[in-house]
Amino acid sequence: MDYTKFSVEDFAANESFIDWVNQSDPEAVKYWELYIAGHPEIAPVVEKARTLVINLKRTEDIPEDDTQIQSIWAKIEARVEHKQTRVSSNRTRIAILASVIIVVSAGIWWQLQTGDSSPAADLYTYQNKKDNYAEQINETGKPLRLQLADGSIVTLQDKSRLKYKSDYTNVTVREVYLLGDAFFEVTKDPYRPFIVHTNEVLTKVLGTSFRIQAPEGARNIIVSVKTGKVSVYTASEDAEADDTKEGVILLPNQRVKYERAEQLFDKELVEIPEVVNPAVKSTDFNFDNTPIRTVFKVLEDAYGVEILYNEELMEKCFITAPLGSEPLFEKLKIICQTIGANYEVIDTRIIINSSGC
């Protein structure tokens, strides 16, 4: 199907497109990322449609002020009824969709009026959590290494604070409270998950290493994973809830930025992905007339990232490049220059654009 003529509303009503936005169908995800990569001219419309789908989904979680919502809907219904007497069914559908956006915006506005991400508010929230916990405040001017009772290591950055238990023996969940920036190396324990509270965001793991950046008053909270798997979700969710219900799942070399004002998760690759497969050596990147499918497979296995490309179109592409310790994106730049292609990063995937070899 030719989607280049689709409007924002057409995309937002397409089930496959919705599955891509929600990341709920792997086939839809792969299809749309390849299609969008091959049709960059539709990117502005796609982004607007993506935002619309996300906002429509968020209406399910917005607390309602009944009086306010009833008033808004009364105005919407009057507007739609008026338009239905004057415009075609297609125009009416657009009017209704626009009205829904008004409701979404009103709900988001209502939430923002009750929220506060100022330094004072963040500190107040932190200080009123678990006053029976021990506290470490780093005022050394340099990173401070702290070992918890369960064996986990926390590297606390300057001006950062951490609340933790002095004994995790008789608990079902290992919880700590962070205000600031810290790197965690969590001791694996499949029976007692490790949860980091950072204002309204929770990061849950069993055993892994990751960094959380949540300074006082910051507009965003950033969680970056080095090893293992991490689930990140908002504090409104039960800490014992199924990881897949809300929030995002992060794998090595992935990070998520939680935009506090918009209450949105933005998942992406870290700025400098590292090799996560210990079996991979720098000599494995020395390619000599190597098929492109093998090259991309080596990179995927080494860095734990997904590389999408048109296999049929690029089946005759071969690479000779003595690569080694260069960062991942530098390797990709060299590879793409060699075969006349280019790459882009969409969410946590790398898309290769090529007209073939």
Side-chain angles (χ1 to χ4, degrees):
M1 181 178 291
D2 182 8
Y3 294 104
T4 58
K5 305 300 182 183
F6 265 38
S7 66
V8 171
E9 294 79 18
D10 291 330
F11 279 116
N14 183 280
E15 291 187 7
S16 176
F17 183 87
I18 294 172
D19 288 338
W20 168 67
V21 174
N22 294 330
Q23 301 285 289
S24 58
D25 183 346
E27 290 300 319
V29 170
K30 186 172 183 179
Y31 174 83
W32 280 104
E33 289 180 351
L34 283 173
Y35 190 91
I36 295 168
H39 299 83
E41 71 276 9
I42 69 173
V45 176
V46 166
E47 184 54 32
K48 291 179 181 178
R50 175 178 173 274
T51 300
L52 176 57
V53 172
I54 291 172
N55 282 340
L56 290 174
K57 185 176 186 297
R58 287 175 59 197
T59 59
E60 301 172 2
D61 303 320
I62 295 176
E64 296 182 359
D65 179 321
D66 289 337
T67 302
Q68 181 188 44
I69 296 300
Q70 288 175 8
S71 175
I72 292 172
W73 271 115
K75 295 178 182 179
I76 290 173
E77 289 170 352
R79 179 182 305 177
V80 172
E81 182 179 356
H82 175 67
K83 285 184 177 291
Q84 283 177 329
T85 64
R86 300 176 54 191
V87 299
S88 66
S89 59
N90 185 55
R91 292 281 301 279
T92 300
R93 179 167 57 87
I94 295 175
I96 294 173
L97 194 56
S99 300
V100 173
I101 296 174
I102 293 174
V103 174
V104 173
S105 301
I108 295 172
W109 175 89
W110 185 89
Q111 285 189 312
L112 294 180
Q113 302 312 305
T114 61
D116 188 352
S117 60
S118 67
D122 288 349
L123 183 58
Y124 177 83
T125 301
Y126 169 83
Q127 289 178 335
N128 281 273
K129 293 291 187 181
K130 305 293 184 181
D131 54 7
N132 61 329
Y133 277 38
E135 182 178 28
Q136 178 70 60
I137 303 176
N138 185 5
E139 298 177 325
T140 65
K142 57 184 180 181
L144 177 65
R145 191 173 185 268
L146 176 67
Q147 182 167 355
L148 304 183
D150 69 332
S152 298
I153 303 296
V154 181
T155 303
L156 201 61
Q157 296 298 316
D158 187 39
K159 307 302 181 186
S160 297
R161 303 164 174 248
L162 185 75
K163 284 189 176 183
Y164 57 95
K165 277 186 173 290
S166 56
D167 184 6
Y168 286 103
T169 304
N170 298 315
V171 298
T172 57
V173 179
R174 297 170 290 167
E175 294 180 287
V176 300
Y177 293 81
L178 172 67
L179 185 60
D181 186 341
F183 182 77
F184 293 83
E185 299 170 84
V186 177
T187 299
K188 188 172 184 178
D189 187 338
Y191 303 104
R192 297 184 302 166
F194 190 99
I195 294 180
V196 183
H197 297 256
T198 45
N199 300 316
E200 66 270 38
V201 170
L202 281 70
T203 302
K204 179 180 179 180
V205 302
L206 294 177
T208 185
S209 59
F210 59 96
R211 180 183 181 185
I212 298 180
Q213 297 165 272
E216 293 181 35
R219 296 185 67 253
N220 304 315
I221 295 174
I222 300 175
V223 180
S224 308
V225 176
K226 183 175 182 180
T227 62
K229 183 173 76 170
V230 167
S231 100
V232 184
Y233 50 98
T234 58
S236 60
E237 291 297 312
D238 184 355
E240 295 297 321
D242 183 352
D243 292 347
T244 61
K245 286 181 65 176
E246 294 290 343
V248 297
I249 302 295
L250 298 178
L251 299 176
N253 283 328
Q254 296 179 357
R255 74 177 187 179
V256 67
K257 178 173 65 176
Y258 178 71
E259 300 174 3
R260 301 179 67 187
E262 294 82 4
Q263 300 182 344
L264 289 175
F265 288 103
D266 185 11
K267 187 177 175 182
E268 60 189 4
L269 289 179
V270 298
E271 292 183 0
I272 305 178
E274 299 180 6
V275 173
V276 297
N277 186 343
V280 175
K281 302 178 179 60
S282 60
T283 53
D284 293 333
F285 302 115
N286 189 348
F287 303 115
D288 184 12
N289 199 32
T290 306
I292 196 66
R293 65 177 181 278
T294 302
V295 173
F296 289 151
K297 184 65 166 60
V298 169
L299 295 180
E300 286 184 325
D301 292 344
Y303 292 93
V305 300
E306 184 178 3
I307 300 177
L308 301 178
Y309 63 100
N310 190 317
E311 297 182 26
E312 182 178 356
L313 191 63
M314 301 181 68
E315 64 178 351
K316 296 182 180 180
C317 294
F318 291 78
I319 292 293
T320 296
L323 304 178
S325 59
E326 304 92 347
L328 172 60
F329 295 136
E330 182 63 24
K331 287 184 174 73
L332 287 169
K333 181 179 178 181
I334 293 171
I335 291 169
C336 287
Q337 286 178 340
T338 302
I339 61 176
N342 61 75
Y343 77 91
E344 59 182 321
V345 179
I346 299 178
D347 293 330
T348 59
R349 296 174 176 84
I350 295 170
I351 310 296
I352 306 297
N353 302 311
S354 171
S355 57
C357 297

